[in-house]
Amino acid sequence: MRELEVPPGVAQDAAPAMSASRSRGAEGLPFATDDPTLARAAWSRLAEPADAVAGTLVAHLGAPAALEWVVDAVRDPARALRGSAVEPLGSAVAADRLMEGVARWAPRLERLDPRRELRVLERLGGTLLVPGDGRWPAGLAALGPEEPFALWVRGDPDLAAATARSVALVGARASSAYGDHVAADLAAGVADRGFAVVSGGAYGIDAAAHRGAVAGGALTVAVLAGGVDRFYPPGNQDLLRRLADGAGAVVSEVPPGSAPFKQRFLARNRIIAAVSCATVVVEAAWRSGALSTARHATRLLRPLGVVPGPVTSGTSTGCHALLRDGAAVCVTDAAEVAELAGPYDADATPAQAPPEGTSAPGRAGGERSRRRIPAEVEALGEHARLVWDALPARGAAATDALARTAGLAPGELLAGLGALELHGLAGQEGGRWRRVRRDAGEAGRGRPPS
């Protein structure tokens, strides 16, 4: 591995920010840095959302040790880079990128104390979730180093159960009456089919989707760009407060006191896409932020649907572009959205909100639901099941993408694909693999032995 070198000027830029903070305790910070929960809460303040350098460092060292390493790196960058702890990162994160990160994080060390923000959250009746908690949404792992360090939640804290069967409905803030009507109708329809609704709490399509879900009696999750102590936008305060009071959840990856701004709006879109089984864009103009959510869904190999609009409507030009480019499929009603997100199990218990005036019920982490795997796939073994689950519901995917999604070695992936292909459940087109839908007459042929 090449030697990590300190980029010129980093030590001079970073050291002043740390001089005062080191005087506040042996570790330079006023809280216990060896507490994993406190450390992750601190990282959610220290680094901006989707900071892949910070995420890589935390994944390598663990949140407490990564925090302590930053404190030492601000004080003595050369010594910190020579330490054996970060040497394995040399090939993944170049030294200059790592120290650029330190320079970004150093100014926030001066006032860093997550205990203050946790006290605010406690006063609000909220919950802090971190990876490893049974209530943490499993889909966030697909973000890799961009996975949030923590989630600050008001309302139902069991996001794993709420999002295990969920649909993201997003779209334009300056929506039309047509878009609002369609979004509310789709939300109520998927709610009837047992899906929770995820959106961004914004004006327009987001608000219509949340209201439609509430009307349908389903949980709905709003992912905010700012702290959960300030409901934004102001015109949606009553709606967001209703979610926080039990009709769902209001969630943010940044701590209380954090202001919403453009970078955080764009970053939160990856969370909306990652926690949902499918994303549907109801209305979107050429430069709509909803297209950011669509891009994240595509990158994560999540099913993507769009609602067509009038060809004369500027608020649907982005939707039509997604259709024209083949990035999404056309959906026109709740049944098609539910099909996009996964098979409907009539016996499944919908993710319902509690009756008005009552608190959200708790759910054990082990009770989270998942998409139903066909019995014929289950009979083919674990590799086939994991591959089947990784195959997109619509479209096709390359083997390298499937391996990342399924978490399988290349040989294991090929074994699973081979078993599915042998029994007519998967097919290959131009080097990309897709699910094969069989009619009732074909279902009895090629069935795996019991």
Side-chain angles (χ1 to χ4, degrees):
M1 186 197 76
R2 67 176 182 81
E3 182 179 357
L4 290 167
E5 298 178 353
V6 184
V10 170
Q12 293 87 338
D13 293 341
M18 194 57 209
S19 58
S21 65
R22 289 294 293 185
S23 66
R24 292 180 296 183
E27 295 171 331
L29 295 172
F31 59 93
T33 55
D34 60 350
D35 184 319
T37 300
L38 278 179
R40 281 193 165 271
W43 271 106
S44 73
R45 169 65 73 189
L46 196 63
E48 276 299 300
D51 187 331
V53 175
T56 302
L57 185 65
V58 169
H60 175 64
L61 298 179
L67 189 60
E68 293 170 2
W69 182 88
V70 172
V71 171
D72 292 337
V74 172
R75 187 181 191 188
D76 190 343
R79 179 180 177 184
L81 284 175
R82 286 195 300 269
S84 60
V86 296
E87 282 185 357
L89 287 177
S91 59
V93 181
D96 55 348
R97 290 186 62 203
L98 193 57
M99 295 314 296
E100 285 169 3
V102 172
R104 288 196 304 271
W105 310 324
R108 293 184 177 178
L109 284 170
E110 186 69 26
R111 298 176 179 272
L112 188 65
D113 188 353
R115 297 174 301 177
R116 292 192 303 259
E117 290 142 343
L118 286 168
R119 285 194 290 269
V120 172
L121 187 68
E122 183 179 8
R123 288 198 298 271
L124 296 171
T127 305
L128 182 73
L129 299 182
V130 297
D133 189 312
R135 300 167 295 181
W136 183 264
L140 291 177
L143 294 172
E146 294 185 2
E147 183 177 14
F149 300 110
L151 292 175
W152 305 74
V153 185
R154 291 177 66 181
D156 185 349
D158 195 348
L159 298 182
T163 61
R165 186 173 172 81
S166 61
V167 173
L169 295 177
V170 297
R173 288 175 172 81
S175 56
S176 67
Y178 161 80
D180 290 344
H181 171 76
V182 170
D185 190 57
L186 290 179
V190 296
D192 288 340
R193 290 166 170 80
F195 289 90
V197 173
V198 181
S199 198
Y203 292 133
I205 298 302
D206 288 16
H210 290 306
R211 292 190 177 99
V214 171
L219 287 173
T220 180
V221 178
V223 184
L224 304 185
V228 295
D229 58 328
R230 50 172 78 182
F231 290 149
Y232 183 89
N236 284 351
Q237 286 191 19
D238 289 344
L239 171 63
L240 295 173
R241 186 170 293 108
R242 185 171 182 182
L243 269 58
D245 287 344
V250 178
V251 181
S252 178
E253 63 180 313
V254 293
S258 301
F261 52 84
K262 184 176 181 179
Q263 177 184 341
R264 290 176 177 169
F265 278 110
L266 292 175
R268 67 91 188 267
N269 290 340
R270 79 194 195 285
I271 297 178
I272 295 174
V275 301
S276 305
C277 299
T279 294
V280 174
V281 183
V282 178
E283 274 190 324
W286 278 108
R287 299 176 61 84
S288 173
L291 298 183
S292 164
T293 310
R295 286 190 291 271
H296 285 299
T298 300
R299 178 172 65 93
L300 296 170
L301 297 180
R302 299 289 198 272
L304 176 64
V306 298
V307 175
V311 295
T312 55
S313 173
T315 55
S316 290
T317 53
C319 291
H320 298 157
L322 290 172
L323 287 173
R324 188 169 57 252
D325 294 341
V329 298
C330 176
V331 293
T332 60
D333 58 27
E336 293 177 352
V337 173
E339 181 185 5
L340 186 71
Y344 171 47
D345 185 352
D347 296 325
T349 301
Q352 294 180 332
E356 192 168 352
T358 65
S359 59
R363 297 183 181 91
E367 295 178 354
R368 72 180 69 173
S369 63
R370 59 183 178 89
R371 292 191 205 174
R372 185 171 58 182
I373 305 294
E376 53 195 328
V377 175
E378 292 278 13
L380 293 175
E382 181 182 10
H383 292 163
R385 178 178 59 79
L386 292 173
V387 173
W388 172 267
D389 215 23
L391 286 167
R394 290 286 191 277
T399 53
D400 56 347
L402 289 174
R404 288 193 299 271
T405 304
L408 295 174
E412 296 171 333
L413 177 74
L414 292 176
L417 284 170
L420 292 173
E421 184 180 34
L422 180 64
H423 292 89
L425 296 165
Q428 187 177 186
E429 293 178 352
R432 297 169 67 84
W433 289 84
R434 60 178 176 80
R435 291 183 182 180
V436 173
R437 296 180 179 276
R438 300 184 297 166
D439 60 32
E442 294 175 314
R445 296 195 296 270
R447 181 173 298 169
S450 58

